Amino acid sequence: MFRTLTSPNPTEFAGKRAIITGGSRGIGAAIVQRLLDGGATVATTARNATDETPKAATFIQGDISTLAGVQAFTAAALNELGGVDIVVNNAAAARTHLGGISSIPDEEWLDALNLNYLSAVRVNNALLPALREAGPGSVIVNISSGAALTPVPPLAHYGAAKAALNTYGKALASELAPAGIRVTTITPGNVLTPGADVIRQNFADAMSVPLADVTAGIPLGRPGDPRDIAEAVAYLASDRAQWVTGANLIVDGGELPVI
Ligand SMILES: NC(=O)c1ccc[n+]([C@@H]2O[C@H](COP(=O)([O-])OP(=O)(O)OC[C@H]3O[C@@H](n4cnc5c(N)ncnc54)[C@H](OP(=O)(O)O)[C@@H]3O)[C@@H](O)[C@H]2O)c1
């Protein structure tokens, strides 16, 4: 069980403007809430808000799986916040294919790349002038997945898109370091969220095992809570991580068996 933390420093992000994709639920909603709790002003997007969507954030309805969708969202978010200091690319989706990798339709490979990889590239491209204006200390955090490091056939398209995100993030970190803009990646393991719960249920059904078996082998003894990832984002987005760039922080309860 997630142990409640002492209150975060309510002024750590005072004056900071954060743009976070996919903040309507799950990990994204926890990230939005964590940065709000630290004093940031936040804009987020998703196709639909939910009861989980933090009310204190500006919610901009949109679909960022296309270039036009990204441009509409980033323009609206910049207009709302007047600039940006922190970008978190969190929105993603995956659909399991249990019939073999070749059963994943071409269209779905393109969808996976567009949403899980290119949306981050496009968001960052659109926000880079504003990040440069914000200057040293501004930061990008890309949310990747353990599926990039431990590829599984039913999610090959999603894992490949996230692996591309990892490589891209590393290159971007090198390019932006001289400007003092940091780029980091977080690799979550199994975190209990609405989107991932559906995927885990598919795996459980395919293996004819109870849902709990899918997350039974996590060394720290429990699946992740969205706040576990939000805390990692808060660290990487803060000046506490001012000498950290190009890093990929694995937050998975010890599940990944290699470095
Ligand atoms: N939970 C896990 O176990 C786990 C493990 C590894 C990595 N991750 C990564 O963590 C991040 C969050 O995952 P999650 O489990 O919190 O997922 P989730 O519960 O499915 O939430 C995904 C968020 O992205 C938004 N989104 C999806 N498609 C979108 C689109 N086309 N345009 C705009 N927003 C869109 C969703 O809202 P709408 O659907 O309304 O658009 C929602 O706000 C993702 O990058 C995921 O790959 C999660």
Side-chain angles (χ1 to χ4, degrees), residues 21-28 45-49 62-65 89-93 115 143-146 158 162 188-196 200:
T21 65
S24 67
R25 61 172 192 258
I27 291 171
T45 189
R47 289 165 300 176
N48 296 293
D63 182 340
I64 60 161
S65 63
N89 289 296
N90 165 78
L115 179 61
I143 307 297
S144 186
S145 170
Y158 166 78
K162 292 291 195 176
N190 275 294
V191 180
L192 300 181
T193 67
R200 277 186 289 272

PDB file of all heavy atoms in Angstrom, residues 21-28 45-49 62-65 89-93 115 143-146 158 162 188-196 200, ligand 1:
ATOM      1  N   THR A  21       0.498  16.341 -20.588  1.00  0.00           N
ATOM      2  CA  THR A  21      -0.494  15.675 -21.435  1.00  0.00           C
ATOM      3  C   THR A  21      -1.110  14.490 -20.692  1.00  0.00           C
ATOM      4  O   THR A  21      -0.483  13.869 -19.834  1.00  0.00           O
ATOM      5  CB  THR A  21       0.125  15.195 -22.760  1.00  0.00           C
ATOM      6  OG1 THR A  21       1.099  14.178 -22.496  1.00  0.00           O
ATOM      7  CG2 THR A  21       0.776  16.343 -23.520  1.00  0.00           C
ATOM      8  N   GLY A  22      -2.359  14.195 -21.013  1.00  0.00           N
ATOM      9  CA  GLY A  22      -3.029  13.020 -20.437  1.00  0.00           C
ATOM     10  C   GLY A  22      -3.262  13.134 -18.945  1.00  0.00           C
ATOM     11  O   GLY A  22      -3.157  12.150 -18.214  1.00  0.00           O
ATOM     12  N   GLY A  23      -3.634  14.327 -18.474  1.00  0.00           N
ATOM     13  CA  GLY A  23      -3.820  14.538 -17.033  1.00  0.00           C
ATOM     14  C   GLY A  23      -5.229  14.293 -16.537  1.00  0.00           C
ATOM     15  O   GLY A  23      -5.563  14.681 -15.420  1.00  0.00           O
ATOM     16  N   SER A  24      -6.039  13.639 -17.332  1.00  0.00           N
ATOM     17  CA  SER A  24      -7.446  13.472 -16.926  1.00  0.00           C
ATOM     18  C   SER A  24      -7.647  12.363 -15.919  1.00  0.00           C
ATOM     19  O   SER A  24      -8.648  12.340 -15.202  1.00  0.00           O
ATOM     20  CB  SER A  24      -8.320  13.190 -18.154  1.00  0.00           C
ATOM     21  OG  SER A  24      -7.995  11.929 -18.705  1.00  0.00           O
ATOM     22  N   ARG A  25      -6.714  11.398 -15.882  1.00  0.00           N
ATOM     23  CA  ARG A  25      -6.896  10.251 -14.974  1.00  0.00           C
ATOM     24  C   ARG A  25      -5.540   9.566 -14.790  1.00  0.00           C
ATOM     25  O   ARG A  25      -4.550   9.923 -15.426  1.00  0.00           O
ATOM     26  CB  ARG A  25      -7.914   9.265 -15.553  1.00  0.00           C
ATOM     27  CG  ARG A  25      -7.498   8.681 -16.894  1.00  0.00           C
ATOM     28  CD  ARG A  25      -8.418   7.555 -17.355  1.00  0.00           C
ATOM     29  NE  ARG A  25      -7.819   6.877 -18.476  1.00  0.00           N
ATOM     30  CZ  ARG A  25      -8.179   7.048 -19.748  1.00  0.00           C
ATOM     31  NH1 ARG A  25      -9.155   7.885 -20.059  1.00  0.00           N
ATOM     32  NH2 ARG A  25      -7.564   6.381 -20.715  1.00  0.00           N
ATOM     33  N   GLY A  26      -5.525   8.570 -13.901  1.00  0.00           N
ATOM     34  CA  GLY A  26      -4.350   7.717 -13.753  1.00  0.00           C
ATOM     35  C   GLY A  26      -3.090   8.487 -13.371  1.00  0.00           C
ATOM     36  O   GLY A  26      -3.119   9.425 -12.556  1.00  0.00           O
ATOM     37  N   ILE A  27      -1.977   8.081 -13.955  1.00  0.00           N
ATOM     38  CA  ILE A  27      -0.680   8.680 -13.623  1.00  0.00           C
ATOM     39  C   ILE A  27      -0.678  10.174 -13.949  1.00  0.00           C
ATOM     40  O   ILE A  27      -0.166  10.993 -13.166  1.00  0.00           O
ATOM     41  CB  ILE A  27       0.443   7.939 -14.393  1.00  0.00           C
ATOM     42  CG1 ILE A  27       0.604   6.515 -13.833  1.00  0.00           C
ATOM     43  CG2 ILE A  27       1.749   8.702 -14.318  1.00  0.00           C
ATOM     44  CD1 ILE A  27       1.529   5.620 -14.656  1.00  0.00           C
ATOM     45  N   GLY A  28      -1.266  10.535 -15.079  1.00  0.00           N
ATOM     46  CA  GLY A  28      -1.272  11.949 -15.483  1.00  0.00           C
ATOM     47  C   GLY A  28      -1.993  12.822 -14.465  1.00  0.00           C
ATOM     48  O   GLY A  28      -1.521  13.917 -14.123  1.00  0.00           O
ATOM     49  N   THR A  45      -4.334  18.151 -20.944  1.00  0.00           N
ATOM     50  CA  THR A  45      -5.275  17.797 -22.004  1.00  0.00           C
ATOM     51  C   THR A  45      -5.596  16.313 -21.980  1.00  0.00           C
ATOM     52  O   THR A  45      -4.830  15.500 -21.462  1.00  0.00           O
ATOM     53  CB  THR A  45      -4.698  18.160 -23.392  1.00  0.00           C
ATOM     54  OG1 THR A  45      -5.729  17.998 -24.371  1.00  0.00           O
ATOM     55  CG2 THR A  45      -3.520  17.273 -23.767  1.00  0.00           C
ATOM     56  N   ALA A  46      -6.729  15.982 -22.549  1.00  0.00           N
ATOM     57  CA  ALA A  46      -7.131  14.600 -22.831  1.00  0.00           C
ATOM     58  C   ALA A  46      -8.351  14.735 -23.730  1.00  0.00           C
ATOM     59  O   ALA A  46      -8.876  15.846 -23.921  1.00  0.00           O
ATOM     60  CB  ALA A  46      -7.481  13.847 -21.545  1.00  0.00           C
ATOM     61  N   ARG A  47      -8.802  13.619 -24.250  1.00  0.00           N
ATOM     62  CA  ARG A  47     -10.009  13.715 -25.079  1.00  0.00           C
ATOM     63  C   ARG A  47     -11.227  14.004 -24.209  1.00  0.00           C
ATOM     64  O   ARG A  47     -12.141  14.692 -24.631  1.00  0.00           O
ATOM     65  CB  ARG A  47     -10.159  12.445 -25.915  1.00  0.00           C
ATOM     66  CG  ARG A  47      -9.096  12.373 -27.030  1.00  0.00           C
ATOM     67  CD  ARG A  47      -8.988  11.003 -27.614  1.00  0.00           C
ATOM     68  NE  ARG A  47      -8.608  10.035 -26.577  1.00  0.00           N
ATOM     69  CZ  ARG A  47      -8.514   8.729 -26.778  1.00  0.00           C
ATOM     70  NH1 ARG A  47      -8.747   8.237 -27.966  1.00  0.00           N
ATOM     71  NH2 ARG A  47      -8.154   7.930 -25.796  1.00  0.00           N
ATOM     72  N   ASN A  48     -11.211  13.494 -22.969  1.00  0.00           N
ATOM     73  CA  ASN A  48     -12.335  13.740 -22.047  1.00  0.00           C
ATOM     74  C   ASN A  48     -11.825  13.905 -20.624  1.00  0.00           C
ATOM     75  O   ASN A  48     -10.967  13.126 -20.194  1.00  0.00           O
ATOM     76  CB  ASN A  48     -13.301  12.562 -22.075  1.00  0.00           C
ATOM     77  CG  ASN A  48     -13.949  12.397 -23.442  1.00  0.00           C
ATOM     78  OD1 ASN A  48     -14.727  13.248 -23.878  1.00  0.00           O
ATOM     79  ND2 ASN A  48     -13.590  11.337 -24.137  1.00  0.00           N
ATOM     80  N   ALA A  49     -12.371  14.867 -19.901  1.00  0.00           N
ATOM     81  CA  ALA A  49     -12.081  14.982 -18.465  1.00  0.00           C
ATOM     82  C   ALA A  49     -12.840  13.876 -17.729  1.00  0.00           C
ATOM     83  O   ALA A  49     -13.801  13.307 -18.264  1.00  0.00           O
ATOM     84  CB  ALA A  49     -12.502  16.347 -17.953  1.00  0.00           C
ATOM     85  N   GLY A  62      -8.802  17.837 -26.039  1.00  0.00           N
ATOM     86  CA  GLY A  62      -8.143  17.704 -27.334  1.00  0.00           C
ATOM     87  C   GLY A  62      -7.662  16.291 -27.570  1.00  0.00           C
ATOM     88  O   GLY A  62      -7.722  15.431 -26.690  1.00  0.00           O
ATOM     89  N   ASP A  63      -7.189  16.081 -28.796  1.00  0.00           N
ATOM     90  CA  ASP A  63      -6.637  14.785 -29.190  1.00  0.00           C
ATOM     91  C   ASP A  63      -5.239  15.058 -29.724  1.00  0.00           C
ATOM     92  O   ASP A  63      -5.083  15.712 -30.767  1.00  0.00           O
ATOM     93  CB  ASP A  63      -7.528  14.155 -30.263  1.00  0.00           C
ATOM     94  CG  ASP A  63      -7.035  12.782 -30.690  1.00  0.00           C
ATOM     95  OD1 ASP A  63      -5.843  12.466 -30.473  1.00  0.00           O
ATOM     96  OD2 ASP A  63      -7.843  12.031 -31.258  1.00  0.00           O
ATOM     97  N   ILE A  64      -4.214  14.576 -29.019  1.00  0.00           N
ATOM     98  CA  ILE A  64      -2.846  14.915 -29.416  1.00  0.00           C
ATOM     99  C   ILE A  64      -2.204  13.819 -30.278  1.00  0.00           C
ATOM    100  O   ILE A  64      -0.991  13.776 -30.410  1.00  0.00           O
ATOM    101  CB  ILE A  64      -1.952  15.238 -28.200  1.00  0.00           C
ATOM    102  CG1 ILE A  64      -1.858  14.049 -27.233  1.00  0.00           C
ATOM    103  CG2 ILE A  64      -2.441  16.489 -27.489  1.00  0.00           C
ATOM    104  CD1 ILE A  64      -0.666  14.159 -26.296  1.00  0.00           C
ATOM    105  N   SER A  65      -3.035  12.965 -30.866  1.00  0.00           N
ATOM    106  CA  SER A  65      -2.457  11.923 -31.722  1.00  0.00           C
ATOM    107  C   SER A  65      -2.153  12.432 -33.133  1.00  0.00           C
ATOM    108  O   SER A  65      -1.646  11.675 -33.962  1.00  0.00           O
ATOM    109  CB  SER A  65      -3.378  10.704 -31.789  1.00  0.00           C
ATOM    110  OG  SER A  65      -4.608  11.050 -32.382  1.00  0.00           O
ATOM    111  N   ASN A  89       5.328  14.789 -20.874  1.00  0.00           N
ATOM    112  CA  ASN A  89       4.654  14.023 -21.927  1.00  0.00           C
ATOM    113  C   ASN A  89       4.224  12.689 -21.341  1.00  0.00           C
ATOM    114  O   ASN A  89       5.030  11.766 -21.211  1.00  0.00           O
ATOM    115  CB  ASN A  89       5.607  13.829 -23.105  1.00  0.00           C
ATOM    116  CG  ASN A  89       5.835  15.124 -23.851  1.00  0.00           C
ATOM    117  OD1 ASN A  89       4.906  15.684 -24.430  1.00  0.00           O
ATOM    118  ND2 ASN A  89       7.069  15.637 -23.801  1.00  0.00           N
ATOM    119  N   ASN A  90       2.952  12.620 -20.987  1.00  0.00           N
ATOM    120  CA  ASN A  90       2.425  11.453 -20.272  1.00  0.00           C
ATOM    121  C   ASN A  90       1.366  10.685 -21.069  1.00  0.00           C
ATOM    122  O   ASN A  90       1.243   9.471 -20.901  1.00  0.00           O
ATOM    123  CB  ASN A  90       1.832  11.932 -18.933  1.00  0.00           C
ATOM    124  CG  ASN A  90       0.956  10.882 -18.293  1.00  0.00           C
ATOM    125  OD1 ASN A  90       1.444   9.924 -17.692  1.00  0.00           O
ATOM    126  ND2 ASN A  90      -0.367  11.033 -18.436  1.00  0.00           N
ATOM    127  N   ALA A  91       0.608  11.356 -21.918  1.00  0.00           N
ATOM    128  CA  ALA A  91      -0.510  10.683 -22.607  1.00  0.00           C
ATOM    129  C   ALA A  91      -0.007   9.512 -23.436  1.00  0.00           C
ATOM    130  O   ALA A  91       1.020   9.604 -24.110  1.00  0.00           O
ATOM    131  CB  ALA A  91      -1.242  11.672 -23.505  1.00  0.00           C
ATOM    132  N   ALA A  92      -0.724   8.422 -23.374  1.00  0.00           N
ATOM    133  CA  ALA A  92      -0.377   7.233 -24.162  1.00  0.00           C
ATOM    134  C   ALA A  92      -1.542   6.274 -24.103  1.00  0.00           C
ATOM    135  O   ALA A  92      -2.465   6.442 -23.296  1.00  0.00           O
ATOM    136  CB  ALA A  92       0.885   6.566 -23.607  1.00  0.00           C
ATOM    137  N   ALA A  93      -1.494   5.286 -24.955  1.00  0.00           N
ATOM    138  CA  ALA A  93      -2.505   4.221 -24.917  1.00  0.00           C
ATOM    139  C   ALA A  93      -1.936   3.001 -25.623  1.00  0.00           C
ATOM    140  O   ALA A  93      -1.056   3.125 -26.477  1.00  0.00           O
ATOM    141  CB  ALA A  93      -3.790   4.673 -25.601  1.00  0.00           C
ATOM    142  N   LEU A 115       0.696   8.394 -31.157  1.00  0.00           N
ATOM    143  CA  LEU A 115       0.319   8.814 -29.803  1.00  0.00           C
ATOM    144  C   LEU A 115       1.449   8.620 -28.796  1.00  0.00           C
ATOM    145  O   LEU A 115       1.725   9.504 -27.982  1.00  0.00           O
ATOM    146  CB  LEU A 115      -0.927   8.045 -29.334  1.00  0.00           C
ATOM    147  CG  LEU A 115      -1.377   8.408 -27.908  1.00  0.00           C
ATOM    148  CD1 LEU A 115      -1.740   9.887 -27.802  1.00  0.00           C
ATOM    149  CD2 LEU A 115      -2.552   7.552 -27.471  1.00  0.00           C
ATOM    150  N   ILE A 143       7.299  10.328 -20.180  1.00  0.00           N
ATOM    151  CA  ILE A 143       6.895   9.107 -19.474  1.00  0.00           C
ATOM    152  C   ILE A 143       6.950   7.941 -20.452  1.00  0.00           C
ATOM    153  O   ILE A 143       6.183   7.875 -21.417  1.00  0.00           O
ATOM    154  CB  ILE A 143       5.474   9.226 -18.876  1.00  0.00           C
ATOM    155  CG1 ILE A 143       5.359  10.485 -18.000  1.00  0.00           C
ATOM    156  CG2 ILE A 143       5.156   7.964 -18.071  1.00  0.00           C
ATOM    157  CD1 ILE A 143       6.258  10.525 -16.771  1.00  0.00           C
ATOM    158  N   SER A 144       7.871   7.039 -20.198  1.00  0.00           N
ATOM    159  CA  SER A 144       8.057   5.877 -21.071  1.00  0.00           C
ATOM    160  C   SER A 144       7.346   4.667 -20.469  1.00  0.00           C
ATOM    161  O   SER A 144       6.308   4.807 -19.806  1.00  0.00           O
ATOM    162  CB  SER A 144       9.553   5.625 -21.262  1.00  0.00           C
ATOM    163  OG  SER A 144       9.756   4.599 -22.199  1.00  0.00           O
ATOM    164  N   SER A 145       7.917   3.493 -20.655  1.00  0.00           N
ATOM    165  CA  SER A 145       7.281   2.280 -20.125  1.00  0.00           C
ATOM    166  C   SER A 145       8.303   1.155 -20.019  1.00  0.00           C
ATOM    167  O   SER A 145       9.227   1.056 -20.843  1.00  0.00           O
ATOM    168  CB  SER A 145       6.155   1.820 -21.053  1.00  0.00           C
ATOM    169  OG  SER A 145       5.708   0.535 -20.666  1.00  0.00           O
ATOM    170  N   GLY A 146       8.091   0.281 -19.043  1.00  0.00           N
ATOM    171  CA  GLY A 146       8.902  -0.924 -18.937  1.00  0.00           C
ATOM    172  C   GLY A 146       8.811  -1.773 -20.198  1.00  0.00           C
ATOM    173  O   GLY A 146       9.713  -2.551 -20.499  1.00  0.00           O
ATOM    174  N   TYR A 158       3.449  -0.788 -29.023  1.00  0.00           N
ATOM    175  CA  TYR A 158       3.540   0.195 -27.924  1.00  0.00           C
ATOM    176  C   TYR A 158       4.977   0.244 -27.380  1.00  0.00           C
ATOM    177  O   TYR A 158       5.552   1.324 -27.187  1.00  0.00           O
ATOM    178  CB  TYR A 158       2.541  -0.224 -26.857  1.00  0.00           C
ATOM    179  CG  TYR A 158       2.666   0.416 -25.497  1.00  0.00           C
ATOM    180  CD1 TYR A 158       2.196   1.703 -25.260  1.00  0.00           C
ATOM    181  CD2 TYR A 158       3.224  -0.297 -24.425  1.00  0.00           C
ATOM    182  CE1 TYR A 158       2.286   2.258 -23.990  1.00  0.00           C
ATOM    183  CE2 TYR A 158       3.306   0.256 -23.164  1.00  0.00           C
ATOM    184  CZ  TYR A 158       2.832   1.536 -22.950  1.00  0.00           C
ATOM    185  OH  TYR A 158       2.925   2.085 -21.699  1.00  0.00           O
ATOM    186  N   LYS A 162       7.685   3.375 -27.351  1.00  0.00           N
ATOM    187  CA  LYS A 162       8.303   3.882 -26.119  1.00  0.00           C
ATOM    188  C   LYS A 162       9.830   3.773 -26.180  1.00  0.00           C
ATOM    189  O   LYS A 162      10.539   4.609 -25.620  1.00  0.00           O
ATOM    190  CB  LYS A 162       7.758   3.118 -24.906  1.00  0.00           C
ATOM    191  CG  LYS A 162       6.291   3.394 -24.605  1.00  0.00           C
ATOM    192  CD  LYS A 162       6.053   4.806 -24.090  1.00  0.00           C
ATOM    193  CE  LYS A 162       4.673   4.952 -23.458  1.00  0.00           C
ATOM    194  NZ  LYS A 162       4.459   6.291 -22.869  1.00  0.00           N
ATOM    195  N   PRO A 188       7.905   3.768 -15.840  1.00  0.00           N
ATOM    196  CA  PRO A 188       7.078   3.125 -14.810  1.00  0.00           C
ATOM    197  C   PRO A 188       6.989   1.622 -15.057  1.00  0.00           C
ATOM    198  O   PRO A 188       7.030   1.157 -16.191  1.00  0.00           O
ATOM    199  CB  PRO A 188       5.691   3.761 -15.008  1.00  0.00           C
ATOM    200  CG  PRO A 188       5.881   4.909 -15.949  1.00  0.00           C
ATOM    201  CD  PRO A 188       7.083   4.575 -16.761  1.00  0.00           C
ATOM    202  N   GLY A 189       6.829   0.895 -13.971  1.00  0.00           N
ATOM    203  CA  GLY A 189       6.469  -0.517 -14.075  1.00  0.00           C
ATOM    204  C   GLY A 189       4.959  -0.643 -14.017  1.00  0.00           C
ATOM    205  O   GLY A 189       4.234   0.209 -14.541  1.00  0.00           O
ATOM    206  N   ASN A 190       4.462  -1.670 -13.356  1.00  0.00           N
ATOM    207  CA  ASN A 190       3.006  -1.897 -13.277  1.00  0.00           C
ATOM    208  C   ASN A 190       2.360  -0.969 -12.252  1.00  0.00           C
ATOM    209  O   ASN A 190       2.510  -1.163 -11.046  1.00  0.00           O
ATOM    210  CB  ASN A 190       2.747  -3.354 -12.869  1.00  0.00           C
ATOM    211  CG  ASN A 190       2.759  -4.269 -14.075  1.00  0.00           C
ATOM    212  OD1 ASN A 190       1.895  -4.182 -14.946  1.00  0.00           O
ATOM    213  ND2 ASN A 190       3.754  -5.134 -14.147  1.00  0.00           N
ATOM    214  N   VAL A 191       1.651   0.014 -12.749  1.00  0.00           N
ATOM    215  CA  VAL A 191       0.982   0.997 -11.883  1.00  0.00           C
ATOM    216  C   VAL A 191      -0.530   0.844 -12.061  1.00  0.00           C
ATOM    217  O   VAL A 191      -1.009   0.727 -13.198  1.00  0.00           O
ATOM    218  CB  VAL A 191       1.422   2.430 -12.274  1.00  0.00           C
ATOM    219  CG1 VAL A 191       0.735   3.456 -11.373  1.00  0.00           C
ATOM    220  CG2 VAL A 191       2.934   2.579 -12.205  1.00  0.00           C
ATOM    221  N   LEU A 192      -1.247   0.843 -10.947  1.00  0.00           N
ATOM    222  CA  LEU A 192      -2.700   0.646 -11.022  1.00  0.00           C
ATOM    223  C   LEU A 192      -3.376   1.911 -11.543  1.00  0.00           C
ATOM    224  O   LEU A 192      -3.416   2.935 -10.861  1.00  0.00           O
ATOM    225  CB  LEU A 192      -3.248   0.275  -9.637  1.00  0.00           C
ATOM    226  CG  LEU A 192      -2.669  -1.012  -9.032  1.00  0.00           C
ATOM    227  CD1 LEU A 192      -3.294  -1.294  -7.670  1.00  0.00           C
ATOM    228  CD2 LEU A 192      -2.867  -2.202  -9.977  1.00  0.00           C
ATOM    229  N   THR A 193      -3.846   1.839 -12.784  1.00  0.00           N
ATOM    230  CA  THR A 193      -4.568   2.961 -13.409  1.00  0.00           C
ATOM    231  C   THR A 193      -5.674   2.385 -14.288  1.00  0.00           C
ATOM    232  O   THR A 193      -5.616   1.211 -14.680  1.00  0.00           O
ATOM    233  CB  THR A 193      -3.642   3.798 -14.318  1.00  0.00           C
ATOM    234  OG1 THR A 193      -3.253   2.987 -15.429  1.00  0.00           O
ATOM    235  CG2 THR A 193      -2.404   4.290 -13.595  1.00  0.00           C
ATOM    236  N   PRO A 194      -6.642   3.222 -14.659  1.00  0.00           N
ATOM    237  CA  PRO A 194      -7.729   2.711 -15.501  1.00  0.00           C
ATOM    238  C   PRO A 194      -7.225   2.093 -16.808  1.00  0.00           C
ATOM    239  O   PRO A 194      -7.670   1.016 -17.203  1.00  0.00           O
ATOM    240  CB  PRO A 194      -8.570   3.966 -15.778  1.00  0.00           C
ATOM    241  CG  PRO A 194      -8.266   4.893 -14.641  1.00  0.00           C
ATOM    242  CD  PRO A 194      -6.843   4.613 -14.241  1.00  0.00           C
ATOM    243  N   GLY A 195      -6.274   2.777 -17.475  1.00  0.00           N
ATOM    244  CA  GLY A 195      -5.809   2.278 -18.777  1.00  0.00           C
ATOM    245  C   GLY A 195      -5.044   0.970 -18.645  1.00  0.00           C
ATOM    246  O   GLY A 195      -5.281   0.006 -19.387  1.00  0.00           O
ATOM    247  N   ALA A 196      -4.113   0.918 -17.697  1.00  0.00           N
ATOM    248  CA  ALA A 196      -3.254  -0.266 -17.564  1.00  0.00           C
ATOM    249  C   ALA A 196      -4.021  -1.449 -16.964  1.00  0.00           C
ATOM    250  O   ALA A 196      -3.671  -2.603 -17.228  1.00  0.00           O
ATOM    251  CB  ALA A 196      -2.039   0.081 -16.697  1.00  0.00           C
ATOM    252  N   ARG A 200      -3.749  -5.329 -18.194  1.00  0.00           N
ATOM    253  CA  ARG A 200      -3.396  -6.443 -17.297  1.00  0.00           C
ATOM    254  C   ARG A 200      -4.508  -7.503 -17.276  1.00  0.00           C
ATOM    255  O   ARG A 200      -4.245  -8.691 -17.220  1.00  0.00           O
ATOM    256  CB  ARG A 200      -3.105  -5.916 -15.891  1.00  0.00           C
ATOM    257  CG  ARG A 200      -1.674  -5.409 -15.749  1.00  0.00           C
ATOM    258  CD  ARG A 200      -1.366  -5.039 -14.309  1.00  0.00           C
ATOM    259  NE  ARG A 200      -2.064  -3.826 -13.921  1.00  0.00           N
ATOM    260  CZ  ARG A 200      -1.592  -2.603 -14.084  1.00  0.00           C
ATOM    261  NH1 ARG A 200      -0.403  -2.428 -14.598  1.00  0.00           N
ATOM    262  NH2 ARG A 200      -2.292  -1.554 -13.724  1.00  0.00           N
TER     263      ARG A 200
HETATM  264  N1  LIG B   1      -0.056   2.304 -15.608  1.00  0.00           N
HETATM  265  C1  LIG B   1       0.981   1.546 -15.925  1.00  0.00           C
HETATM  266  O1  LIG B   1       1.089   0.393 -15.457  1.00  0.00           O
HETATM  267  C2  LIG B   1       2.041   2.087 -16.831  1.00  0.00           C
HETATM  268  C3  LIG B   1       3.182   1.307 -17.028  1.00  0.00           C
HETATM  269  C4  LIG B   1       4.184   1.790 -17.852  1.00  0.00           C
HETATM  270  C5  LIG B   1       4.043   3.027 -18.452  1.00  0.00           C
HETATM  271  N2  LIG B   1       2.917   3.760 -18.260  1.00  0.00           N
HETATM  272  C6  LIG B   1       2.832   5.064 -18.932  1.00  0.00           C
HETATM  273  O2  LIG B   1       2.327   6.027 -18.022  1.00  0.00           O
HETATM  274  C7  LIG B   1       1.549   6.998 -18.736  1.00  0.00           C
HETATM  275  C8  LIG B   1       0.164   7.108 -18.125  1.00  0.00           C
HETATM  276  O3  LIG B   1      -0.448   5.824 -18.166  1.00  0.00           O
HETATM  277  P1  LIG B   1      -1.806   5.500 -17.386  1.00  0.00           P
HETATM  278  O4  LIG B   1      -1.701   4.099 -16.970  1.00  0.00           O
HETATM  279  O5  LIG B   1      -2.091   6.575 -16.405  1.00  0.00           O
HETATM  280  O6  LIG B   1      -2.856   5.576 -18.629  1.00  0.00           O
HETATM  281  P2  LIG B   1      -4.426   5.900 -18.639  1.00  0.00           P
HETATM  282  O7  LIG B   1      -5.055   5.624 -17.337  1.00  0.00           O
HETATM  283  O8  LIG B   1      -4.956   5.194 -19.843  1.00  0.00           O
HETATM  284  O9  LIG B   1      -4.428   7.482 -18.925  1.00  0.00           O
HETATM  285  C9  LIG B   1      -3.932   7.944 -20.152  1.00  0.00           C
HETATM  286  C10 LIG B   1      -4.179   9.436 -20.294  1.00  0.00           C
HETATM  287  O10 LIG B   1      -3.800   9.836 -21.636  1.00  0.00           O
HETATM  288  C11 LIG B   1      -4.942  10.448 -22.265  1.00  0.00           C
HETATM  289  N3  LIG B   1      -4.953  10.197 -23.708  1.00  0.00           N
HETATM  290  C12 LIG B   1      -5.006   8.996 -24.330  1.00  0.00           C
HETATM  291  N4  LIG B   1      -5.075   9.182 -25.657  1.00  0.00           N
HETATM  292  C13 LIG B   1      -5.055  10.529 -25.862  1.00  0.00           C
HETATM  293  C14 LIG B   1      -5.118  11.345 -27.026  1.00  0.00           C
HETATM  294  N5  LIG B   1      -5.224  10.810 -28.255  1.00  0.00           N
HETATM  295  N6  LIG B   1      -5.067  12.685 -26.885  1.00  0.00           N
HETATM  296  C15 LIG B   1      -4.985  13.239 -25.637  1.00  0.00           C
HETATM  297  N7  LIG B   1      -4.897  12.515 -24.502  1.00  0.00           N
HETATM  298  C16 LIG B   1      -4.965  11.173 -24.630  1.00  0.00           C
HETATM  299  C17 LIG B   1      -6.145   9.798 -21.557  1.00  0.00           C
HETATM  300  O11 LIG B   1      -7.355  10.519 -21.713  1.00  0.00           O
HETATM  301  P3  LIG B   1      -8.406  10.226 -22.909  1.00  0.00           P
HETATM  302  O12 LIG B   1      -8.446   8.746 -23.125  1.00  0.00           O
HETATM  303  O13 LIG B   1      -9.702  10.812 -22.445  1.00  0.00           O
HETATM  304  O14 LIG B   1      -7.888  10.949 -24.109  1.00  0.00           O
HETATM  305  C18 LIG B   1      -5.638   9.808 -20.134  1.00  0.00           C
HETATM  306  O15 LIG B   1      -5.718  11.107 -19.597  1.00  0.00           O
HETATM  307  C19 LIG B   1       1.552   6.549 -20.199  1.00  0.00           C
HETATM  308  O16 LIG B   1       2.600   7.199 -20.877  1.00  0.00           O
HETATM  309  C20 LIG B   1       1.850   5.068 -20.099  1.00  0.00           C
HETATM  310  O17 LIG B   1       2.444   4.576 -21.281  1.00  0.00           O
HETATM  311  C21 LIG B   1       1.898   3.302 -17.469  1.00  0.00           C
END
